[in-house]
Amino acid sequence: TENKVIKAEINVVFIINLYKYIIYIIFKCLRFLLKLAKLNLIWDFDPLFSGLFSAVSLTIITYYLFKLLKFLHLQILSLVKSNKAEIVEKIQYKKISLISEEYLIKTARYIIQSIYIAALVLLMYAYITLLFSFFRFTQTWAAVLFSYILSPLTNTLKAVIGFLPNVFTIAIIFVIFRYTLKLIKRYFTAIHRDPSSPLRPKWFYADWSMPTYKIIRFLVIIFALIIIFPYLPGSHSPVFQGITVFLGVLLSFGSSSAIANIIAGIVITYMRPYKIEDVVKIAETKGRVIEKSLLITRIRTIKNIDITVPNTIVLSNHITNYSSVSKQDNGLILNTTVTMGYDIPWEKIHKALIEAALLTADVIDNPPPFVLQTSLDDFYVTYEINVHTHKPTRMHLIYSDLHKNIQDVFNREGLELLSTYFTSIRDGNKKNIPDNYLGENYQIPGFKIDPITNIFTKK
């Protein structure tokens, strides 16, 4: 291998020397011919011959540079194609491919082709510029062409060097605010993970920790941007200020509803009307809260339908939370009603309703179910059975089971779940009152009757 390299170097040196000698001989021959023709006395051809020699040399070098660029272009493309699987594997994130092999080839071809074309353009530009510089009558053109590239590069370099102090200032500000945010996050995360932490003030609820952190983080970032803004390049220019004003006006008009939802979300966060997994009713929407953010509240109904409610609507409506007291001793009270005629004793109905309630799954025995008579209507009495439960997420199933048990118990007791509407002719007709209420020996528990006035009084 070393012998081959040495031979290649010798061949290159030999070709360059041979080229020099050939050009030198041609140059001498042309000078001799011009001298014979006495044209050298009229015009000085030495600069012209020197320029031609340089132009020919530059053309040959440029040609081989073009060939070299094309060779490199094809080699890089073939290298990417042959190693595409390894490249895709290296740019994976947590075993997830960020780019497919086909898209990688297309992207690489586009990037390599763009770099190749840019290199060709720069090489051609340099070739033309240098070519003009070899001759006296075109040297001014070369200076102009060089200035088109050198002036922007020089100005850019000066701007970068002048901006370096501001870069260091921005970097220091960034580091300070970065570690400030980390410290704030660590504080609120500790409260979130351990509500009994001594870091938590007594008046501060643990579920406020992460929303409060997000709000403080947003304010800190805005404050940092305000401090960094004067150090940005062009921040004091009228164009930059005009763009800033335009964006501010655009955001103020275009995001009024979003800002209203964010403010409502902040108010709801500190109101604490519900938490994730709570069963709530907002306006006409009833279900389990699965997401709560500054913009929306997402509720999943018992039919597995996700409903997104903007926070402004949440804040402007009544919020019913079925889960807030469900884990306490008494639990959540569920109730349903039945209507029965006046001819059925209320004790029998109470007993049947309580028995049906105790047969219902997820209904707790302590406190026991209880019955309320909520109204005395023209043809029937309304009885309300109330039951306690710790499982509001199964509310619909509890109601269904309770209704089924009421049907079973009432049918077994011979109680018809039907409130008949009828007309009664009073003369000669029996009163629509249970038999145990009729007669002189009727007693009300806890009361006694005065034999003289025939009025009931408490014992």
Side-chain angles (χ1 to χ4, degrees), residues 195-231:
S196 60
S197 171
L199 296 174
R200 183 180 69 86
K202 293 182 179 180
W203 54 268
F204 190 87
Y205 294 96
D207 55 346
W208 285 354
S209 55
M210 298 316 294
T212 304
Y213 163 69
K214 292 178 181 178
I215 294 170
I216 293 177
R217 182 183 63 178
F218 174 76
L219 295 175
V220 168
I221 291 173
I222 293 297
F223 184 62
L225 291 176
I226 292 172
I227 295 176
I228 291 173
F229 181 80
Y231 296 99

Side-chain angles (χ1 to χ4, degrees), residues 36-250:
L36 288 176
K38 296 182 179 180
L39 293 174
N40 60 333
L41 300 175
I42 302 172
W43 187 267
D44 186 9
F45 286 94
D46 287 346
L48 180 61
F49 287 142
S50 178
L52 289 173
F53 170 74
S54 301
V56 172
S57 303
L58 179 64
T59 303
I60 295 172
I61 294 170
T62 304
Y63 171 76
Y64 283 105
L65 285 176
F66 272 114
K67 298 280 285 184
L68 178 62
L69 283 175
K70 187 175 182 181
F71 172 76
L72 292 175
H73 171 234
L74 296 176
Q75 287 296 316
I76 294 172
L77 278 178
S78 62
L79 186 65
V80 171
K81 288 180 181 178
S82 60
N83 297 285
K84 58 184 179 182
E86 297 179 4
I87 296 173
V88 170
E89 185 178 354
K90 287 181 179 179
I91 60 177
Q92 286 182 348
Y93 176 73
K94 294 183 179 179
K95 297 183 179 181
I96 299 174
S97 297
L98 300 178
I99 188 172
S100 63
E101 292 185 5
E102 182 182 357
Y103 190 73
L104 173 67
I105 296 299
K106 289 182 180 180
T107 306
R109 183 183 292 114
Y110 175 77
I111 295 173
I112 295 169
Q113 189 75 17
S114 301
I115 295 173
Y116 173 65
I117 293 172
L120 290 180
V121 171
L122 287 174
L123 183 60
M124 196 65 191
Y125 184 88
Y127 169 73
I128 295 172
T129 306
L130 290 172
L131 188 64
F132 287 159
S133 67
F134 294 151
F135 303 98
R136 290 180 180 177
F137 55 89
T138 59
Q139 283 180 348
T140 55
W141 300 357
V144 173
L145 290 175
F146 266 120
S147 66
Y148 290 155
I149 290 181
L150 292 177
S151 295
L153 290 177
T154 305
N155 294 334
T156 303
L157 184 61
K158 288 180 180 179
V160 170
I161 294 172
F163 184 62
L164 284 178
N166 290 349
V167 171
F168 292 126
T169 305
I170 292 173
I172 292 170
I173 295 172
F174 175 79
V175 170
I176 291 172
F177 279 95
R178 176 185 173 87
Y179 284 97
T180 301
L181 285 176
K182 282 188 174 183
L183 183 62
I184 294 172
K185 183 179 181 181
R186 183 169 297 181
Y187 172 75
F188 285 107
T189 304
I191 295 176
H192 177 71
R193 291 177 179 175
D194 185 13
S196 60
S197 171
L199 296 174
R200 183 180 69 86
K202 293 182 179 180
W203 54 268
F204 190 87
Y205 294 96
D207 55 346
W208 285 354
S209 55
M210 298 316 294
T212 304
Y213 163 69
K214 292 178 181 178
I215 294 170
I216 293 177
R217 182 183 63 178
F218 174 76
L219 295 175
V220 168
I221 291 173
I222 293 297
F223 184 62
L225 291 176
I226 292 172
I227 295 176
I228 291 173
F229 181 80
Y231 296 99
L232 296 177
S235 59
H236 299 289
S237 64
V239 175
F240 200 93
Q241 293 174 357
I243 293 174
T244 306
V245 172
F246 173 73
L247 290 177
V249 172
L250 191 65

Side-chain angles (χ1 to χ4, degrees), residues 2-48:
E2 292 179 358
N3 292 334
K4 290 181 179 180
V5 172
I6 293 171
K7 288 180 180 179
E9 290 178 353
I10 293 172
N11 290 333
V12 170
V13 172
F14 175 75
I15 291 171
I16 292 172
N17 290 331
L18 180 63
Y19 169 74
K20 288 181 179 180
Y21 288 130
I22 291 172
I23 296 298
Y24 178 76
I25 292 169
I26 293 172
F27 177 68
K28 285 294 185 180
C29 291
L30 287 173
R31 288 191 65 183
F32 178 73
L33 291 174
L34 290 172
K35 191 174 183 179
L36 288 176
K38 296 182 179 180
L39 293 174
N40 60 333
L41 300 175
I42 302 172
W43 187 267
D44 186 9
F45 286 94
D46 287 346
L48 180 61

Side-chain angles (χ1 to χ4, degrees), residues 163-452:
F163 184 62
L164 284 178
N166 290 349
V167 171
F168 292 126
T169 305
I170 292 173
I172 292 170
I173 295 172
F174 175 79
V175 170
I176 291 172
F177 279 95
R178 176 185 173 87
Y179 284 97
T180 301
L181 285 176
K182 282 188 174 183
L183 183 62
I184 294 172
K185 183 179 181 181
R186 183 169 297 181
Y187 172 75
F188 285 107
T189 304
I191 295 176
H192 177 71
R193 291 177 179 175
D194 185 13
S196 60
S197 171
L199 296 174
R200 183 180 69 86
K202 293 182 179 180
W203 54 268
F204 190 87
Y205 294 96
D207 55 346
W208 285 354
S209 55
M210 298 316 294
T212 304
Y213 163 69
K214 292 178 181 178
I215 294 170
I216 293 177
R217 182 183 63 178
F218 174 76
L219 295 175
V220 168
I221 291 173
I222 293 297
F223 184 62
L225 291 176
I226 292 172
I227 295 176
I228 291 173
F229 181 80
Y231 296 99
L232 296 177
S235 59
H236 299 289
S237 64
V239 175
F240 200 93
Q241 293 174 357
I243 293 174
T244 306
V245 172
F246 173 73
L247 290 177
V249 172
L250 191 65
L251 288 173
S252 63
F253 282 104
S255 60
S256 56
S257 59
I259 297 298
N261 280 320
I262 290 173
I263 294 173
I266 294 172
V267 174
I268 291 170
T269 298
Y270 291 98
M271 283 173 55
R272 304 177 68 244
Y274 50 80
K275 297 182 291 186
I276 300 296
E277 297 299 326
D278 279 0
V279 179
V280 299
K281 182 179 180 182
I282 301 172
E284 299 300 322
T285 303
K286 184 178 179 181
R288 180 168 53 89
V289 179
I290 60 173
E291 183 182 347
K292 183 176 68 171
S293 67
L294 289 179
L295 289 173
I296 55 95
T297 296
R298 189 168 283 112
I299 297 175
R300 181 167 293 167
T301 67
I302 61 172
K303 305 296 184 183
N304 276 342
I305 300 173
D306 291 347
I307 300 177
T308 302
V309 185
N311 283 335
T312 51
I313 294 178
V314 176
L315 194 61
S316 60
N317 283 276
H318 295 292
I319 302 171
T320 304
N321 191 332
Y322 297 97
S323 301
S324 57
V325 296
S326 62
K327 295 182 180 180
Q328 298 178 8
D329 293 338
N330 292 336
L332 174 68
I333 297 178
L334 306 179
N335 63 81
T336 189
T337 60
V338 296
T339 56
M340 303 296 292
Y342 286 95
D343 55 336
I344 304 174
W346 61 265
E347 296 93 339
K348 191 174 184 180
I349 298 173
H350 281 214
K351 181 181 177 182
L353 287 173
I354 291 174
E355 183 181 352
L358 292 175
L359 292 173
T360 304
D362 298 318
V363 170
I364 59 178
D365 299 335
N366 187 23
F370 60 94
V371 180
L372 299 176
Q373 294 179 209
T374 58
S375 68
L376 300 174
D377 296 302
D378 291 339
F379 306 104
Y380 51 77
V381 181
T382 302
Y383 298 89
E384 180 186 84
I385 177 65
N386 296 266
V387 298
H388 300 259
T389 182
H390 291 313
K391 298 182 179 180
T393 56
R394 293 179 52 82
M395 188 189 312
H396 55 292
L397 298 176
I398 295 172
Y399 273 123
S400 177
D401 197 20
L402 178 61
H403 292 154
K404 179 189 70 174
N405 292 333
I406 289 174
Q407 283 183 280
D408 291 341
V409 173
F410 273 52
N411 291 337
R412 188 192 67 202
E413 296 293 331
L415 299 174
E416 187 179 14
L417 283 168
L418 178 66
S419 301
T420 306
Y421 287 75
F422 56 89
T423 303
S424 177
I425 301 174
R426 302 309 300 168
D427 279 345
N429 281 336
K430 181 183 175 182
K431 294 181 180 180
N432 194 28
I433 297 175
D435 294 336
N436 61 337
Y437 279 83
L438 302 175
E440 296 178 356
N441 297 324
Y442 171 70
Q443 296 290 331
I444 299 177
F447 289 83
K448 65 179 179 179
I449 189 169
D450 190 324
I452 300 174

